[in-house]
Amino acid sequence: MALRQNQLLLHLWKQNCVAGARNATSGIMRPDDANIVGNVHGGTILKMIEEAGCIIGTRHCNSQTGDRCVAALARVERTDFLHPMFIGEVAHVSAEITYTSKNSVEVQVNVLSENIVTGAKKLTNKATLWYVPLSLQNVAKIIEVPPIEYSSPEQEEAGKKRYEAQKLERIETKERNGEIIMSISLPEPYTVAFSQSSLIHLVGPSDCTLYGFVHGGVTMKLMDEVAGIVAARHCKTNIVTASVDAINFHRKIKKGCVITVSGRMTFTSNKSMEIEVFVDADPLVEAEKGKYRAVTAFFTYISLDKENKPLPVPPLKLEGEEEQKRFEEGKARYLQNKAKRLTDKERQQ
């Protein structure tokens, strides 16, 4: 009996340790998941993506002997919202591990929406997430990740390049973490100050893992809500998430913290808006540790009419050199992402 159990465990370990091992979840979209016109919130989808990534990441990291652990979200790469999802549709979320370094796991996630009345299906999201395994005995300790088997040396080399690129960008992002969003009374419409918004949230048990720190998906949902408020204040129309640039999780957020999620408009094109979002955590019980920047990201929104067709976005009115600088940086990201989309489209043809 013991021999058979050991053989089964070995088989499961081999399955988990091959690039392409998958995990899938499904859920029907309900009114609470959507805005007033029936579009599912981007934050709801991001939360499902993170949950799928956490499941497969935690399973893989516990497929070896030694410390038991939980996979904690460290970063989400740029995520495009390819098609809208609506109330009543079923979201199918699939995740697979595509690369492992010594202390991190890359998980790629796809989201497929299904209209269960007509049977129509469409790919709505593709995302790449990075996790680090934290020991359950000491959540400050990062443990080693079991390696996976690659189908070819080229696949491993491509994964290594993605790992090095995200590692470099995380370092660069940390250097900008001193910025704060200041409130201004009676700002002029279409300015940064007019639409900037903040949300304050007390982190409770339902927001956290069993081990006392916040689910990455909960944080991303709050960030998307704030970005949506900023976009709606600027346009005064129905708005939806179009994409999310890399989300960097700099530090863990523990149960009992008060988090402030702040968003500001940084760039507008004719049909889109870029919103920068910060998450600052304030540990009430351990107040001596002070407030700290936990998460940062850029969200892109578009404005829609009643028929879900894109509307022109009012130009952003800039005030001061800092806003001009952020606008130019946002424009550079916009042009870079536009060029990448065109390149990807040409490859598919």
Side-chain angles (χ1 to χ4, degrees):
M1 185 69 178
L3 179 60
R4 288 182 63 188
Q5 286 180 333
N6 288 337
Q7 288 174 334
L8 178 60
L9 287 170
L10 180 61
H11 174 68
L12 291 172
W13 179 83
K14 287 181 177 178
Q15 281 189 320
N16 280 329
C17 293
V18 175
R22 291 177 179 270
N23 173 72
T25 58
S26 299
I28 192 164
M29 297 296 95
R30 303 184 182 278
D32 286 349
D33 299 319
N35 63 18
I36 55 175
V37 297
N39 300 115
V40 174
H41 292 298
T44 300
I45 297 170
L46 289 171
K47 190 169 183 288
M48 292 189 297
I49 287 172
E50 196 279 326
E51 287 172 351
C54 181
I55 290 169
I56 195 170
T58 300
R59 278 178 177 166
H60 175 75
C61 292
N62 284 289
S63 62
Q64 62 183 352
T65 57
D67 284 4
R68 299 297 89 189
C69 64
V70 61
L73 186 61
R75 175 180 167 87
V76 182
E77 301 291 3
R78 176 182 171 82
T79 304
D80 290 312
F81 289 72
L82 307 173
H83 295 284
M85 193 181 296
F86 299 95
I87 294 171
E89 293 185 332
V90 173
H92 300 284
V93 188
S94 61
E96 64 175 302
I97 293 172
T98 47
Y99 182 76
T100 57
S101 69
K102 182 180 178 182
N103 297 117
S104 65
V105 180
E106 180 191 54
V107 179
Q108 294 193 3
V109 181
N110 289 335
V111 183
L112 193 74
S113 69
E114 177 190 6
N115 184 318
I116 53 177
V117 176
T118 66
K121 295 180 180 180
K122 58 190 175 186
L123 180 68
T124 62
N125 297 83
K126 297 175 73 175
T128 302
L129 304 89
W130 292 89
Y131 288 85
V132 293
L134 304 180
S135 169
L136 299 185
Q137 301 299 319
N138 175 11
V139 293
K141 177 185 175 183
I142 299 175
I143 67 173
E144 289 193 15
V145 174
I148 59 174
E149 296 176 10
Y150 301 95
S151 59
S152 67
E154 290 78 15
Q155 185 188 31
E156 182 175 8
E157 185 61 28
K160 186 175 181 180
K161 287 180 179 178
R162 294 193 300 270
Y163 168 74
E164 294 295 342
Q166 65 86 26
K167 187 177 179 182
L168 179 62
E169 190 174 327
R170 278 177 58 79
I171 293 170
E172 292 173 350
T173 305
K174 282 186 177 181
E175 294 174 358
R176 301 196 300 267
N177 274 355
E179 293 188 68
I180 59 172
I181 298 177
M182 304 297 292
S183 60
I184 300 174
S185 59
L186 300 175
E188 183 183 350
Y190 305 123
T191 59
V192 175
F194 182 79
S195 59
Q196 68 184 27
S197 305
S198 295
L199 178 154
I200 298 174
H201 177 76
L202 174 64
V203 176
S206 63
D207 299 320
C208 298
T209 67
L210 295 174
Y211 313 105
F213 53 87
V214 177
H215 287 290
V218 170
T219 308
M220 290 193 290
K221 190 171 188 296
L222 292 172
M223 294 172 79
D224 181 72
E225 287 177 9
V226 169
I229 292 170
V230 173
R233 280 180 167 171
H234 184 79
C235 290
K236 304 295 185 185
T237 62
N238 178 35
I239 46 84
V240 293
T241 314
S243 65
V244 186
D245 267 9
I247 304 177
N248 289 292
F249 291 76
H250 306 292
R251 294 177 61 181
K252 295 188 294 293
I253 303 172
K254 292 184 178 181
K255 181 172 63 180
C257 282
V258 171
I259 58 174
T260 303
V261 187
S262 305
R264 65 184 174 197
M265 191 81 65
T266 52
F267 170 76
T268 56
S269 68
N270 184 42
K271 294 286 180 68
S272 67
M273 302 158 275
E274 181 189 72
I275 297 108
E276 184 175 22
V277 182
F278 304 127
V279 179
D280 294 316
D282 191 0
L284 295 183
V285 177
E286 301 173 299
E288 68 280 359
K289 292 186 177 180
K291 201 171 188 178
Y292 59 89
R293 178 67 42 84
V295 192
T296 56
F298 290 97
F299 287 71
T300 299
Y301 272 75
I302 57 173
S303 174
L304 300 178
D305 63 16
K306 292 180 180 179
E307 297 178 354
N308 282 322
K309 293 181 179 178
L311 288 170
V313 171
L316 183 63
K317 294 181 181 179
L318 303 175
E319 300 174 319
E321 293 181 3
E322 280 299 314
E323 289 184 9
Q324 183 66 49
K325 179 185 176 185
R326 289 196 294 269
F327 186 89
E328 293 301 325
E329 291 172 347
K331 184 178 180 180
R333 285 187 291 270
Y334 166 77
L335 293 174
Q336 183 181 28
N337 291 328
K338 186 176 181 180
K340 185 178 183 299
R341 285 197 303 272
L342 290 173
T343 302
D344 291 343
K345 190 174 181 180
E346 289 173 358
R347 286 175 180 170
Q348 292 171 2
Q349 289 176 345

